[in-house]
Amino acid sequence: MKTALITGITGQDGSYLAEFMLSRGYRVVGMVRRSSVDRFERLEHFQRQLELIQGDLTDQTSLDIAVRDVRPDEIYNLAAQSFVPTSWNQPGLTGEVTGLGVTRVLEAMRKNRPEARFYQASSSEMFGKVLETPQRETTPFYPRSPYGAAKVYAHWITVNYRESYDLFCCSGILFNHESPRRGFEFVSRKVSDAVARIKAGKLDRLTMGNLDAHRDWGFAGDYVKAMWMMLQQDSPQDYVVATGVSHSVRDLLSAAFAAADLSWDEYVVIDPALIRPAEVDTLVGDPTRAQAELGWQPRVSFDELMERMVRADMARHGVT
Ligand code: NDP
Ligand code: GDR
């Protein structure tokens, strides 16, 4: 039985990846940071099948102990301060966790378990003010936030440990992926939850930021499979994971409200405070390498994704 160590297991992707790895017969160990409250909502329905250990990406000792004791065959580093707007208010913390934290995990692996395979959660935010469309593995980076800058550092340190120490390290450059388990501050979930609350009579107005931004949105359940596929290859590589289709935030509003037979323009107001200091205007990925070398394909379309999210939130709020 192979062992997978997942950092960030309490997050959206961590929960889907853990379920997927269990279905492949892995022993799954999740690293969680110490908190005064349990935050395992996304894991509740299968938590008994998991081992959870404490650790924090800001603390080298905890990572050394985790890797030494767990003896993983595969390490998935999903932990990060992942919300872009927070990265302007907490740039130091974002750099520590999302950037330097990756070096700490790599060091823990190099010292304690160099034969393990390593996955780094890289991001399309690294392309930022895009220098090429669609974005592929060779497109130069131009990050537009402290988060994006931290991810660029994390990406290159992963490449560097592969080249310096001959470790099996891969970066998945994943474009936005969503699900009913998405955090409430991200735009897709903010909107699906708002639609459900409007239907339930609990909300009459939704404040939004930039409606003109375009993103390449896919389903998180499809994307975690690509993470695993990368670590099953003969040699380590970096891969773009995306649908290849871009939509605006306005399209997202339209799809989500339509799923509940509502018109978004009757409820949405713009709040300038939600406009970012520097925006990533348009992202669209070219997943050709992932399709050709991994055999990966996205299965859930944009409209289906938004409909699923709205339905799940409506059920949560007790409306049909
Ligand atoms: P989430 O924000 O849902 O999850 C982040 C996870 O990181 C949580 O489990 C969180 O723990 C954990 N974490 C945060 N800080 C620390 C720390 N100091 N030490 C240990 N763990 C910590 O993110 P997603 O699941 O959406 O994303 C997973 C990864 O993929 C992230 O690295 C993200 O940046 C990246 N990514 C995500 C994309 C997306 O569209 N979802 C696209 C491209 C990249 P806690 O529950 O305690 O807060
Ligand atoms: P993003 O996701 O920044 O792309 O990062 P988010 O859903 O936060 O924003 C997407 C786009 O929507 C615009 N927007 C709003 N966003 C939020 N959150 N709230 C609003 O009210 C709103 N109005 C408009 C934003 O300006 C932006 O253009 C996500 C995260 O998961 C990162 O961790 C990951 O690396 C990238 O996706 C790929």
Side-chain angles (χ1 to χ4, degrees):
M1 189 191 240
K2 278 193 187 173
T3 297
L5 174 62
I6 302 176
T7 74
I9 194 163
T10 55
Q12 170 190 255
D13 289 8
S15 67
Y16 279 107
L17 180 65
E19 275 182 298
F20 175 76
M21 301 301 286
L22 288 169
S23 77
R24 307 286 318 184
Y26 280 72
R27 168 186 169 231
V28 178
V29 184
M31 205 192 76
V32 296
R33 50 182 173 161
R34 194 261 157 192
S35 164
S36 64
V37 287
D38 277 355
R39 285 176 296 188
F40 304 145
E41 281 160 49
R42 297 179 173 111
L43 306 175
E44 258 164 21
H45 57 291
F46 65 106
Q47 199 177 324
R48 278 184 298 114
Q49 295 167 265
L50 300 172
E51 291 173 46
L52 298 178
I53 54 164
Q54 266 187 19
D56 195 300
L57 252 60
T58 58
D59 187 274
Q60 185 70 55
T61 304
S62 69
L63 299 169
D64 284 337
I65 291 170
V67 175
R68 188 196 66 201
D69 291 356
V70 172
R71 300 175 55 78
D73 300 291
E74 296 170 14
I75 300 173
Y76 294 87
N77 183 44
L78 310 185
Q81 190 303 95
S82 77
F83 189 48
V84 173
T86 294
S87 76
W88 278 284
N89 295 335
Q90 301 183 15
L93 177 111
T94 304
E96 275 294 342
V97 178
T98 306
L100 264 183
V102 183
T103 307
R104 295 191 189 99
V105 182
L106 285 164
E107 271 299 290
M109 173 169 136
R110 184 181 74 80
K111 288 185 290 190
N112 300 292
R113 192 73 176 159
E115 64 273 44
R117 295 182 170 205
F118 178 83
Y119 173 85
Q120 165 57 16
S122 281
S123 164
S124 53
E125 280 292 296
M126 301 189 304
F127 296 123
K129 192 170 177 179
V130 297
L131 297 171
E132 182 182 32
T133 294
Q135 295 84 51
R136 48 179 69 92
E137 292 80 3
T138 49
T139 303
F141 300 136
Y142 190 148
R144 293 274 280 172
S145 63
Y147 169 82
K151 282 286 183 188
V152 171
Y153 167 79
H155 182 85
W156 282 116
I157 201 70
T158 302
V159 173
N160 183 259
Y161 269 57
R162 179 166 76 213
E163 295 176 355
S164 301
Y165 303 115
D166 204 21
L167 300 178
F168 195 110
C169 300
C170 298
S171 273
I173 308 176
L174 271 51
F175 282 60
N176 299 53
H177 46 278
E178 321 295 313
S179 73
R181 298 185 202 167
R182 187 58 142 150
F184 286 96
E185 69 270 61
F186 300 94
V187 74
S188 63
R189 188 69 193 283
K190 177 177 171 177
V191 172
S192 66
D193 180 58
V195 168
R197 284 193 290 146
I198 289 169
K199 272 293 209 194
K202 298 175 188 167
L203 186 78
D204 56 13
R205 204 171 73 118
L206 170 61
T207 52
M208 296 286 300
N210 176 16
L211 305 190
D212 295 319
H214 283 68
R215 291 289 184 277
D216 180 332
W217 277 292
F219 172 54
D222 290 341
Y223 284 45
V224 298
K225 193 171 174 195
M227 299 175 184
W228 173 78
M229 286 171 150
M230 287 177 212
L231 297 199
Q232 311 315 308
Q233 301 306 299
D234 291 337
S235 54
Q237 262 279 21
D238 305 323
Y239 296 88
V240 160
V241 178
T243 68
V245 182
S246 193
H247 290 275
S248 67
V249 174
R250 202 174 267 103
D251 295 337
L252 186 145
L253 285 166
S254 179
F257 277 78
D261 298 319
L262 296 170
S263 293
W264 67 270
D265 45 358
E266 291 172 24
Y267 300 95
V268 170
V269 289
I270 303 302
D271 179 354
L274 294 172
I275 306 287
R276 300 176 179 187
E279 177 64 289
V280 171
D281 295 322
T282 301
L283 291 173
V284 58
D286 174 1
T288 302
R289 182 187 284 176
Q291 287 173 349
E293 295 182 17
L294 307 179
W296 179 82
Q297 288 285 352
R299 302 276 172 215
V300 180
S301 71
F302 173 75
D303 285 326
E304 195 184 337
L305 172 64
M306 290 318 301
E307 196 180 319
R308 276 193 202 182
M309 292 179 68
V310 169
R311 284 199 190 296
D313 277 324
M314 284 181 24
R316 217 168 42 81
H317 285 284
V319 279
T320 47

